[in-house]
Amino acid sequence: MSMNSSAPNQNTFAITTPLYYVNDLPHIGSAYTTIAADVVSRFYRLQGQPVLMITGTDEHGQKIQRTAEALGRSPQEHCDKIVEGFQALWDQLNIRCDRFIRTTSKRHEAIVREFFQRVWDNDDIYLGWQQGWYCVSCEEFKEERELLEDHYCPLHPTKQAEWRDEQNYFFRLSNYQGKLEALYQERPDFIRPDIRRNEVLSFVSRGLQDFSISRVNLDWGFPVPTDPDHTLYVWFDALLGYVTALVDANQEPTLENALAQWWPINLHLIGKDILRFHAVYWPAMLMSAGVPVPGGVFGHGFLTKDGQKMGKTLGNIIDPYELVGRYGSDAVRYYFLKEIEFGRDGDFNETRFVNILNADLANDLGNLLNRTLKMVHKYCEGYVPAVSNDDIATDDLLKSKGLTLGQEVADAYTSLSFSQACEAILAMIRAGNKFIDDQAPWALYKQGKQAEVEQVLYTVLEAVRLAAYLLSPIIPNISQAVYQQLGFEINFNSPESLTAYPFTVHAHWGALPAKQALGTPEPVFRRLELPT
């Protein structure tokens, strides 16, 4: 297949998180990537597109073997235990993945063997010597200039790299320099954001070295199909997990079955630390095996806490289980996507977290709905006012915003500008609060101006409805509470339920039916308190 046949499938949408390394329980960074992938998936599901969201675990390699030994477990026992922790956290965060792939599965081994054979047959694998400093925590060889004093790794400053001098199998990455440069040129959005793209272009332009794809004296991993004395290196095996995940449970695990429906994957979401593997090694491996490359790779930034890098030595790690346990999934999802521009580094500060959630969701959104619903119950007998869309002038403050908001927010989600989507929706909510204060429906009611009262209240309710619908990929539970109080029966956590609420209708102004019976006004988001 030519490289140009690799544009992603437009009728389906497949997205992946990294396959997380299971040497330890998930940290807040893994949660951040997985929340973002879930939000993107929910946005495409809202639009009625078939979506496949893939996450999972990378379970082989020396680091896992050593971690398990240190804990007195077998590697498999260790992996099983940590995997449960990942799945529990994704449930707690209301993340709905379609496929959870484990690289220790038999199905995965079948795909790895078939893929290896293709690359082998293409003469892109050879036996050579590898000498150099190896960081077990990174599972990669480091150049001398990349290391700190005494060969400590900059990414793992408490771990010294180990000198290795061994025979390994290598992948001929150097053969793919020209093809990769052509790919980046033909598809400028293959690597996003631009800062990451520039890093990759600079790395590739310095000349690509072949990389080793096997290790000796390692039991924990798949044997190299052509030479069982060698074990396949973690990255060659792990990246193929994305392919294995595409095979339906009732299908035979073959490349043909894996690539039939969902390939090319539209988007790999990753942290910027594993950019090189996804933006350079991975497309080259796929080209070698005659498989179209994915739609693109997005490398997001790192998280800090109170302006400081997080680390066990500093004792300032954010425990994601504790955070979601204390504040709920919607709050955690909202903060990380609204407060941090996706692609840049971002900071978590608990006081700011509580203040933002209270301001945006309790005060602005929750309070606007609550006070308006109470007035509708008081002035309109608890039904949506009998106002038609045409009764409201197009230059009305809220309607004029509402007419363009759906498209603006859809564009923001599509480009992964989550904070921009939130800001645009919130601007509408804040305008709603100002509008109701300025129009003062309570005063109009006293003056006997019932038609005007109804028009004001309908307009505000519709603004809140539209905002809730557009925020539903980020805060599905709160959006559902809003919709149910507006008299709709919807479950934003169930794709089947969404078909009755199509994006083509509900992402646009005017979808609130006149005379619909409204629910009882209740706070949709309770104010948060800082732990004392």
Side-chain angles (χ1 to χ4, degrees):
M1 294 181 183
S2 82
M3 193 174 66
N4 296 330
S5 69
S6 58
N9 194 331
Q10 296 308 309
N11 305 317
T12 57
F13 187 84
I15 182 172
T16 71
T17 72
L19 302 187
Y20 298 113
Y21 211 41
V22 294
N23 60 312
D24 210 346
L25 285 169
H27 51 74
I28 198 72
S30 319
Y32 179 51
T33 321
T34 317
I35 290 167
D38 183 64
V39 168
V40 177
S41 302
R42 284 172 180 270
F43 166 67
Y44 283 102
R45 282 195 195 105
L46 208 55
Q47 291 188 304
Q49 250 184 300
V51 171
L52 196 75
M53 179 188 156
I54 295 163
T55 188
T57 43
D58 170 8
E59 302 182 21
H60 286 140
Q62 193 157 36
K63 186 159 61 164
I64 307 282
Q65 196 170 331
R66 288 184 182 180
T67 303
E69 280 165 10
L71 294 165
R73 300 173 186 155
S74 74
Q76 190 67 59
E77 280 172 344
H78 172 75
C79 292
D80 292 348
K81 201 171 180 60
I82 300 292
V83 163
E84 280 175 20
F86 273 90
Q87 290 174 325
L89 182 61
W90 302 161
D91 284 347
Q92 253 187 294
L93 282 164
N94 197 10
I95 287 162
R96 186 187 173 280
C97 70
D98 300 292
R99 301 277 165 85
F100 190 102
I101 181 66
R102 299 182 59 179
T103 60
T104 45
S105 75
K106 275 278 170 236
R107 303 169 65 71
H108 181 55
E109 185 171 11
I111 293 286
V112 170
R113 291 179 77 87
E114 190 184 346
F115 189 92
F116 178 93
Q117 194 61 47
R118 281 202 192 183
V119 178
W120 178 267
D121 292 345
N122 202 29
D123 197 26
D124 278 334
I125 294 171
Y126 65 92
L127 196 57
W129 279 95
Q130 177 94 349
Q131 274 189 331
W133 295 101
Y134 186 72
C135 172
V136 173
S137 292
C138 290
E139 296 280 13
E140 87 174 300
F141 280 91
K142 300 284 182 184
E143 291 179 30
E144 187 100 32
R145 62 183 179 169
E146 290 181 271
L147 295 167
L148 308 172
E149 205 176 331
D150 284 339
H151 302 106
Y152 280 92
C153 171
L155 293 174
H156 303 95
T158 59
K159 300 275 196 303
Q160 260 179 317
E162 301 172 8
W163 178 255
R164 296 280 171 91
D165 186 350
E166 60 190 39
Q167 208 175 28
N168 294 150
Y169 283 93
F170 284 78
F171 172 72
R172 293 187 201 276
L173 184 64
S174 53
N175 275 1
Y176 290 90
Q177 173 135 1
K179 288 178 180 167
L180 286 169
E181 287 175 334
L183 167 70
Y184 307 145
Q185 196 172 348
E186 284 172 29
R187 303 216 337 240
D189 61 347
F190 180 72
I191 304 162
R192 291 182 290 162
D194 282 348
I195 185 171
R196 303 279 97 83
R197 179 172 187 266
N198 295 337
E199 281 170 23
V200 170
L201 293 178
S202 155
F203 173 74
V204 173
S205 70
R206 293 203 300 267
L208 291 176
Q209 312 272 306
D210 297 347
F211 69 92
S212 71
I213 62 164
S214 76
R215 296 287 178 267
V216 284
N217 306 322
L218 171 64
D219 305 325
W220 188 239
F222 296 141
V224 170
T226 53
D227 184 349
D229 290 343
H230 285 251
T231 300
L232 274 176
Y233 165 53
V234 103
W235 280 103
F236 193 88
D237 156 10
L239 288 162
L240 285 163
Y242 298 137
V243 176
T244 307
L246 301 176
V247 184
D248 282 341
N250 57 358
Q251 283 184 316
E252 194 189 337
T254 64
L255 278 176
E256 190 185 356
N257 286 340
L259 303 172
Q261 187 189 354
W262 295 96
W263 192 268
I265 281 165
N266 299 66
L267 180 64
H268 290 303
L269 269 194
I270 57 164
K272 62 183 180 182
D273 52 329
I274 51 174
L275 181 66
R276 193 180 301 176
F277 297 101
H278 286 79
V280 183
Y281 295 10
W282 181 224
M285 284 164 56
L286 291 164
M287 288 171 184
S288 174
V291 176
V293 300
V297 176
F298 192 105
H300 67 70
F302 285 161
L303 300 176
T304 52
K305 182 170 184 237
D306 305 326
Q308 273 190 307
K309 192 177 174 184
M310 282 181 267
K312 286 179 183 169
T313 42
L314 290 169
N316 67 341
I317 287 172
I318 301 166
D319 179 339
Y321 300 90
E322 198 183 302
L323 192 68
V324 71
R326 188 183 304 155
Y327 297 117
S329 59
D330 277 12
V332 175
R333 293 165 67 102
Y334 184 81
Y335 177 85
F336 282 110
L337 293 191
K338 190 240 175 186
E339 259 319 277
I340 298 167
E341 187 185 329
F342 201 63
R344 294 184 178 271
D345 292 348
D347 189 62
F348 175 85
N349 170 279
E350 198 157 2
T351 306
R352 194 165 77 237
F353 174 93
V354 167
N355 290 343
I356 280 166
L357 269 298
N358 285 342
D360 291 4
L361 301 184
N363 297 0
D364 290 344
L365 174 66
N367 194 32
L368 179 61
L369 174 67
N370 200 265
R371 66 200 281 222
T372 310
L373 272 182
K374 282 178 175 166
M375 283 187 249
V376 178
H377 277 277
K378 192 172 175 183
Y379 305 144
C380 312
E381 298 175 341
Y383 289 90
V384 174
V387 173
S388 84
N389 196 9
D390 297 340
D391 295 340
I392 304 163
T394 45
D395 63 354
D396 171 277
L397 175 73
L398 294 185
K399 185 174 179 178
S400 60
K401 281 183 182 297
L403 288 171
T404 56
L405 187 65
Q407 190 58 55
E408 188 184 342
V409 170
D411 291 345
Y413 277 127
T414 305
S415 64
L416 310 185
S417 309
F418 307 116
S419 51
Q420 239 174 289
C422 290
E423 285 298 350
I425 297 165
L426 226 71
M428 169 91 152
I429 292 294
R430 291 188 187 119
N433 278 302
K434 183 178 181 332
F435 180 80
I436 206 161
D437 289 341
D438 291 349
Q439 299 294 320
W442 49 92
L444 294 171
Y445 183 74
K446 281 181 181 160
Q447 295 161 24
K449 297 180 175 174
Q450 183 66 19
E452 283 93 329
V453 169
E454 293 187 4
Q455 201 164 314
V456 169
L457 295 178
Y458 178 89
T459 309
V460 176
L461 286 182
E462 173 57 7
V464 175
R465 180 210 63 77
L466 180 60
Y469 188 83
L470 295 173
L471 279 172
S472 68
I474 298 175
I475 48 170
N477 295 334
I478 294 171
S479 292
Q480 186 167 316
V482 171
Y483 252 60
Q484 286 174 344
Q485 286 184 37
L486 292 174
F488 294 103
E489 284 181 28
I490 191 171
N491 178 357
F492 278 112
N493 293 310
S494 157
E496 296 72 39
S497 169
L498 299 177
T499 53
Y501 297 88
F503 195 84
T504 47
V505 175
H506 280 252
H508 296 84
W509 181 268
L512 184 63
K515 300 185 181 173
Q516 179 160 285
L518 295 165
T520 311
E522 283 171 25
V524 290
F525 185 80
R526 299 200 178 275
R527 288 184 63 79
L528 304 179
E529 300 292 335
L530 271 168
T532 46

